[in-house]
Amino acid sequence: MRFFKKIQLISSALVLIFLFSCNNSKEIITTESLLKEMVNRTEQSRYPKVDFRLKQASSYNRASVDSLDIDGWFINHDFNSNNKDHNFIRIEENNQQKEWVLMDHNGPGAIVRTWMPFLNDSKPDTDIQIKIYLDGSETPIVEGNMLQLLNGDGLFPFPFAHKSLRSAVSFFPIAYAKSCKITTTGRPFFYQFTYREYPEGTNIKTFSKEDFESNKSLTVQIGEKLLNPVNTTEGQSVNLNVKIPASGEKTIELPNGAAAINMFTLKLSDYTNDDVMRSTIVKMNFDGKETVWCPIGDFFGSGIGLNPYKGWHNTVAEDGTMTTKWVMPYQKSASISIENLSEAVIDVELNAVVGDYKWDKRSMYFNAAWRGQYPVATRPYSDWNFISLKGRGVYIGDALTVMNPVKKWWGEGDEKIWVDGEDFPSIFGTGTEDYYGYSWGGKSTDFYEHPFHAQPQSNVYNKLNRKVTDERNTKGFSTEVRTRALDVMPFSSSLHFDMEIWSWTDCDMGYGVGLMWYGFEDVTSNRTPNAIEALNVPKLESID
């Protein structure tokens, strides 16, 4: 992509002033407040009371400096394998021991997501230690085995820290008032540390072992909520049971007045034709503006065909009931429409639970959009734009479905996310599967699920057909889901999200992505309804 034009100094100053003005000095960021925020669905529909920007320290290749330098921009070596690699910050010596510095942030913040892969695709073992130093202390507040500390076997419990496919992933929040430095005692492989950057002066209680112990009971409660999301019954249930003819559409009006959809479920009577997940479109209108247009497979994260999984925000059940629990507020009126783009009649059951909602100056509208393209050439390497947003809002998640026509791995491409017109992406990833919480994509084609990310299908595998071999075959459809809680991305003027197209094979792939964000009334995107492309579902001759 071409970089955004450099922001004028006055614009940067205005953004900083905006950040300060939005932050309430009486609010204190603590381990307790962050844990509670993680499961507060209603609060997620409001712009953060204490503003922040999401940043990431990763092992992306430092040769990636300028998009005009094609070789450097798309180099596929986002790790450290020998002494010549320098995809980290620096090496220090502490008590006569070398430490590799992976993250070094000065200012108030909070780590909200970590990802580290196995060093070997079949062995999760490592003797490398990881150390987290807070607020300039010479003693790490947390240290332990590089993988075990972050995979649920160490200090941070499951499901916050957990074993993904060949990776250790943690969402346990670690807040700090002044600074955070993360080091390892051996050369790091791949890594990602995602953190919130708060403005100077933000009131933060720095994470401590004592703080962790005092919040153990709350941690257990939040963990149970994440693993067992409850279907809400509070509010008015609005139902639609109807047959929708070919090229037809049905709409249901929701109760008038200030309210919010607290849960939305959809079920079709027949999923025999996998393509029905693309040809059936969900549309939503809030206060006279359509903010949702998305194929149902990409909206709920099922992909092409019915692929069950359970997450905190979305769930697809084995009986075909698809549920989303994003809170969707409105001030005066709202409606939900289901459009049938296919040439066959579909039988739809829809339910929306609508409850009271107090609209305030931080309240935002729920948005969902879709982009699809087939074919997508893998050569030359390119950045495929997920979405570009203008205005003020919060990016909250996506579900990517790809069609790979060959066995070799397709997902070496990095995510690159620019916020508020910055010159270089503050989120620069290390691989598509890393963004979605797993690693060693060529082998990791099994089903997995977690409250905040999932792989509902890959190759021939899903929840009902698990993988039992170590074969390397990524041919076919793969669906990757990531929804966000503490790692949401606020933006005050713009957000631009690209994903590299980087396959090991010169071929034509299919890409389709459902995208979700909250936004104030003035937020616009470069995504528009595209019925023609929704019907352009890639076909596979065989899966072998």
Side-chain angles (χ1 to χ4, degrees):
M1 86 154 245
R2 294 183 178 180
F3 284 138
F4 291 133
K5 294 181 179 179
K6 290 185 178 180
I7 285 185
Q8 300 295 326
L9 290 177
I10 187 171
S11 299
S12 299
L14 287 173
V15 170
L16 290 173
I17 292 171
F18 172 77
L19 291 176
F20 277 111
S21 66
C22 286
N23 286 346
N24 187 334
S25 60
K26 295 181 181 179
E27 295 291 329
I28 303 177
I29 307 297
T30 66
T31 300
E32 179 182 357
S33 72
L34 290 170
L35 286 170
K36 290 180 177 179
E37 180 187 340
M38 187 179 286
V39 293
N40 191 331
R41 299 186 191 278
T42 300
E43 186 61 21
Q44 194 162 27
S45 70
R46 295 185 168 97
Y47 198 85
K49 188 177 294 184
V50 181
D51 206 353
F52 63 89
R53 290 295 173 267
L54 196 73
K55 306 287 184 177
Q56 184 166 279
S58 79
S59 57
Y60 81 92
N61 197 288
R62 270 42 178 187
S64 299
V65 175
D66 189 336
S67 62
L68 298 179
D69 174 13
I70 301 300
D71 292 338
W73 194 245
F74 294 109
I75 190 170
N76 183 39
H77 193 90
D78 300 307
F79 57 94
N80 300 282
S81 59
N82 55 58
N83 291 332
K84 294 181 180 180
D85 294 334
H86 207 280
N87 298 318
F88 51 89
I89 297 174
R90 63 181 179 274
I91 298 176
E92 297 180 342
E93 190 165 302
N94 191 356
N95 295 324
Q96 297 183 330
Q97 181 183 52
K98 282 186 178 181
E99 293 187 25
W100 282 254
V101 180
L102 315 187
M103 172 180 165
D104 192 9
H105 176 234
N106 291 311
I111 302 169
V112 292
R113 177 184 182 268
T114 69
W115 168 88
M116 301 194 87
F118 293 180
L119 302 180
N120 180 290
D121 64 5
S122 59
K123 295 181 181 178
D125 302 329
T126 181
D127 58 0
I128 297 176
Q129 300 292 296
I130 188 170
K131 302 181 180 183
I132 302 177
Y133 300 86
L134 302 180
D135 294 351
S137 173
E138 295 182 358
T139 302
I141 190 65
V142 175
E143 62 180 312
N145 182 277
M146 184 173 68
L147 294 177
Q148 293 175 3
L149 181 66
L150 304 172
N151 71 4
D153 289 340
L155 178 68
F156 304 118
F158 179 81
F160 304 93
H162 63 284
K163 301 178 182 73
S164 182
L165 294 178
R166 295 177 172 83
S167 292
V169 185
S170 176
F171 291 92
F172 196 92
I174 303 174
Y176 49 93
K178 298 178 182 178
S179 65
C180 175
K181 182 172 71 173
I182 299 177
T183 70
T184 54
T185 58
R187 183 190 304 112
F189 191 33
F190 290 83
Y191 66 86
Q192 293 182 359
F193 297 98
T194 310
Y195 60 97
R196 292 180 171 190
E197 180 180 76
Y198 291 101
E200 291 293 338
T202 301
N203 198 353
I204 294 182
K205 181 182 179 182
T206 298
F207 174 88
S208 67
K209 288 286 187 66
E210 295 75 20
D211 192 35
F212 178 81
E213 291 295 325
S214 67
N215 281 291
K216 268 194 170 180
S217 177
L218 176 63
T219 300
V220 172
Q221 293 175 31
I222 301 300
E224 287 295 321
K225 282 188 175 183
L226 291 172
L227 290 173
N228 302 286
V230 177
N231 288 344
T232 183
T233 57
E234 296 182 7
Q236 181 178 345
S237 183
V238 182
N239 300 288
L240 178 68
N241 297 319
V242 65
K243 293 183 183 297
I244 303 178
S247 304
E249 181 175 331
K250 295 294 181 180
T251 299
I252 186 168
E253 301 291 336
L254 303 183
N256 289 331
I261 301 172
N262 292 321
M263 188 175 73
F264 167 52
T265 64
L266 185 70
K267 182 180 180 180
L268 305 184
S269 63
D270 187 1
Y271 293 94
T272 305
N273 181 3
D274 289 347
D275 293 358
V276 73
M277 303 299 270
R278 275 279 166 82
S279 61
T280 306
I281 309 297
V282 58
K283 302 194 286 190
M284 297 185 186
N285 187 297
F286 298 108
D287 293 333
K289 181 181 179 181
E290 184 176 277
T291 67
V292 173
W293 192 100
C294 192
I296 59 173
D298 305 275
F299 183 84
F300 291 101
S302 178
I304 303 297
L306 183 67
N307 298 288
Y309 78 100
K310 182 172 72 172
W312 171 246
H313 295 102
N314 296 332
T315 295
V316 177
E318 293 179 20
D319 70 353
T321 301
M322 298 175 287
T323 304
T324 188
K325 297 184 177 73
W326 295 106
V327 172
M328 307 176 193
Y330 57 93
Q331 300 181 69
K332 298 178 181 178
S333 64
S335 65
I336 302 174
S337 300
I338 303 298
E339 183 178 8
N340 177 14
L341 299 178
S342 77
E343 298 179 354
V345 175
I346 58 171
D347 197 343
V348 175
E349 295 179 27
L350 181 156
N351 173 260
V353 178
V354 181
D356 294 335
Y357 182 92
K358 185 178 180 180
W359 189 278
D360 61 29
K361 64 181 181 180
R362 294 192 297 116
S363 297
M364 299 178 291
Y365 291 103
F366 176 83
N367 292 257
W370 179 78
R371 185 191 179 192
Q373 183 182 348
Y374 176 72
V376 176
T378 62
R379 299 291 187 274
Y381 303 118
S382 62
D383 287 324
W384 195 76
N385 178 240
F386 271 26
I387 197 166
S388 294
L389 297 166
K390 291 184 178 180
R392 181 171 161 229
V394 180
Y395 186 82
I396 57 175
D398 42 77
L400 172 67
T401 295
V402 302
M403 188 284 288
N404 180 24
V406 298
K407 290 184 177 182
K408 285 188 176 181
W409 176 234
W410 55 267
E412 296 289 358
D414 308 334
E415 81 274 10
K416 302 164 185 173
I417 306 174
W418 292 257
V419 176
D420 295 337
E422 58 197 352
D423 290 334
F424 192 80
S426 50
I427 307 289
F428 202 127
T430 56
T432 308
E433 80 271 41
D434 314 348
Y435 173 82
Y436 288 105
Y438 68 105
S439 62
W440 295 99
K443 269 193 174 182
S444 297
T445 51
D446 194 11
F447 165 86
Y448 81 91
E449 63 183 4
H450 178 268
F452 299 129
H453 52 87
Q455 182 169 253
Q457 68 168 332
S458 184
N459 186 239
V460 298
Y461 304 108
N462 64 12
K463 193 171 188 176
L464 306 179
N465 179 35
R466 299 298 300 273
K467 185 177 182 181
V468 294
T469 70
D470 278 337
E471 68 172 329
R472 292 178 180 270
N473 185 354
T474 65
K475 187 176 182 179
F477 289 101
S478 293
T479 296
E480 321 294 343
V481 176
R482 179 173 177 180
T483 60
R484 297 165 179 262
L486 295 183
D487 58 332
V488 296
M489 291 190 288
F491 54 94
S492 62
S493 61
S494 65
L495 182 144
H496 186 99
F497 186 165
D498 286 349
M499 186 69 77
E500 285 181 0
I501 304 295
W502 210 114
S503 167
W504 285 104
T505 305
D506 183 352
C507 61
D508 287 335
M509 293 182 61
Y511 268 68
V513 62
L515 307 136
M516 298 182 181
W517 69 97
Y518 284 107
F520 290 94
E521 190 172 3
D522 63 341
V523 168
T524 60
S525 82
N526 62 342
R527 295 288 146 248
T528 56
N530 191 339
I532 294 176
E533 194 61 44
L535 293 174
N536 183 27
V537 180
K539 302 300 180 184
L540 281 170
E541 294 182 2
S542 71
I543 203 70
D544 298 326

